[in-house]
Amino acid sequence: MSGIEHPLQIVVGAGGVGKTTLAAAMALKHARAGERTMVMTFDPSLRLKDALGISEAEASEEVEVPVEGEGSLLVSLLDARRTFDRLVRNYAPNEEARERILSNRFYDHLSGALAGVLEYMASERLFEVSRSGRFDRIILDTPPAQQAIDFLKAPERITGFLDSGGVRIALKPWFDAKGRLRGTAKLGFLGRNVEAFFDHMIGLDLLRDMAEFFQAFAPLFDGFKQRAFEVQRLLRAPDTLFSMVSAPGPHRVADTLHFARRLEEAGHRLGPVIVNRVHPLPEGPVKATGGTREGVALLQWLAQREAEGIEALEDLLAGHHPVIRIPLLPEEPTNLDSLASLGEMISESFR
Amino acid sequence: MIAGRLEKLQLIVVTGKGGVGKSSVTAMLGRLLSGMRRKTLLIEVDPRENLHHLFDIPPSGGDVVEVDPFLKIQHLEPRSIIDDLVREKLKVGFLVKRVLASPVHQHFTAGAPGIKEAAVFGRALRWLEGHHPRGIETPECIILDAPATGHGVSWLLAAQLVSDVVKSGPIGEMAADVAAFLGDEARSGTVVVGMAEEMPVEETRELIEAMKTRMQRRPEFVVLNALYPPVPDEGTDSEADDFLHDLWIRRRQINESERARLAAVWEGPLLELPLLPMDPGPALVGRLGVELSRWLSRQASGRGGRG
Ligand SMILES: Nc1ncnc2c1ncn2[C@@H]1O[C@H](COP(=O)(O)OP(=O)(O)O)[C@@H](O)[C@H]1O
Ligand SMILES: [Mg+2]
């Protein structure tokens, strides 16, 4: 890995704070510095795709962005459903198993709704790519979660789920010849009550469908579990560094801090905290008169509040993590150069 | 016309991505309805509790807490709603324990897609019909501050999904009732909140489209929140701080072009709320409320809602 520190960088943060743009900016900067770089991303905005010159690219494709010099930049667009489909295709032991899963009426909803699947898929892809040895640097933009922590919990959640009684129960035939719930039969009176309850609540038909789904999925579980384990290891490896992106404003401090703690408690390495889209503080006294007073005063007020928030954050992080301020720019990056200069901005303050 | 709807609707779902001002809009609508003397309950479904900050009262911690005589708020964990449903349907204590601890419940009842969402609405519906714990007044209107996860429309569609799959039993019945309720224009409506920036506008456009094609419904109105103030016509002020001034002009231009992009797919009422130099709290909610009232009277006098 040619002495590169933290070849694996994971960008986390709540939805809408600018993770995707910053991940792309960092990747471009590394690529221009001569590294073979991959950025894996979710849901890039049209503007960002334009800026990268990949507006036509389909999800789950890898697209090359032209970079001058030694380095290279590949953008991989992630999509939960397609990743899931591919996983099924790769792991299903045979055609029949594959078909059973893909045609199960829960599959459609589960691939989106099962807790943590999207996040898990991201780390799963990360593992694949990092093992390939094709890159000096991989930057992973994480899915738009409401809680930044969701991404991290995903592998554990999946392994926990696979180990739980729920799946073991799902894997044995649920229903006996008479169509009764097996797990409850031996419980006698109590079991009949519990079974009657489930039937009453959600209908045994639904349970049957879900059990079917998990049974169809069973042959995949071993591979799945093994990978989840490796992914967890990768996320805690000394080569892996997390960067956290946050919106400015004093009201975000508590959330940001909470997440930083959770990350470290979980044994991950948190690098910088990037506060994005900060209203810049004017240098020196501001002159504004007449009609322009309102807008300029508003910007000043916002700048002041945000500066207070960032100071509080710095105090609370007590120097353990650098806090990087990225200003709200008059123009969102619309081409490679402006994106690269954003990347420069991050790495300069990182030093 | 909109004011008329707000006087009648029993459920208003406030949707949009996180951080765009959903909770602020929920609070603002709550105050408006309580001002109309409608007994209103604001429900916040979110892992973290926020709404109380906006009224400067202690957190609800799951209880119904009073903001004013006509306005109450409650914070709910989605998970606890399903457990409550089990408790409600299964009155025998040891069976409740068994079911809640059972893997079937943990991974299937609670994990089945859509059930959580349907249960939140189901609960709202029951409360509106008077089935709620004693000591609580029956609300006339519930405003739901929907969580920001996934697409806003998945919340609205969940009940339909569940009722398609679960045809019988209390969950199936509940889901069917909820789906009918959410489809009933006379009783329920949606307010979509976004900001006039690229990604939020994109999401708002998708949400409106999905509501149209998958529910045959449209929002009551759309809110564009946190707009930079318009730049005065008198031209640029050479005295003003150049950098801040330019930043403001540019951000306002982005707001305006994104608003136009939204207007291309949304001809309905559009409420624009200014970005205000105020911390979250009652004063902010009050100021937003003033904007809302002005807009409503402009709407009523037929002078449109675009500015
Ligand atoms: N129009 C506005 N002017 C100023 N600040 C606002 C405005 N709307 C929302 N805010 C602030 O923005 C932040 C996010 O708003 P909130 O209502 O909590 O969003 P959501 O519920 O969508 O996550 C809060 O700090 C809130 O005080
Ligand atoms: Mg909120």
Side-chain angles (χ1 to χ4, degrees), chain A residues 21 24 45 56 88 109-111 129 176-177 183 186 190 240 267 337 347:
Chain A
T21 304
S45 68
E56 301 302 312
V88 171
H109 303 297
L110 272 169
S111 59
V129 170
D176 63 20
K186 61 175 179 296
L190 198 62
T240 305
D337 286 339
S347 56

Side-chain angles (χ1 to χ4, degrees), chain A residues 251, chain B residues 17-24 225-226 274-276 278 280 284 288:
Chain A
H251 323 295
Chain B
K17 279 284 152 94
V20 295
K22 246 176 336 100
S23 298
S24 311
N225 187 28
L275 176 59
L276 295 165
M278 297 171 98
L284 174 66
L288 296 176

Side-chain angles (χ1 to χ4, degrees), chain B residues 2-15 25-26 28-30 32-33 36 38 40-43 121 124 128 140-146 156 181-182 186-193 217 219-221 223 292:
Chain B
I2 293 176
R5 298 276 299 155
L6 295 175
E7 278 165 20
K8 290 199 198 75
L9 287 173
Q10 289 185 295
L11 176 74
I12 301 169
V13 185
V14 180
T15 73
V25 167
T26 303
M28 169 191 89
L29 285 171
L32 181 87
L33 264 59
M36 294 172 169
R38 295 194 72 195
T40 306
L41 174 67
L42 310 185
I43 296 182
F121 287 120
L128 287 165
E140 292 168 273
C141 179
I142 289 181
I143 306 181
L144 179 73
D145 183 356
L156 298 168
F181 183 46
L182 293 178
R187 301 179 71 196
S188 70
T190 303
V191 171
V192 177
V193 187
R217 295 229 38 194
E220 298 301 314
F221 59 94
V223 182
L292 173 66

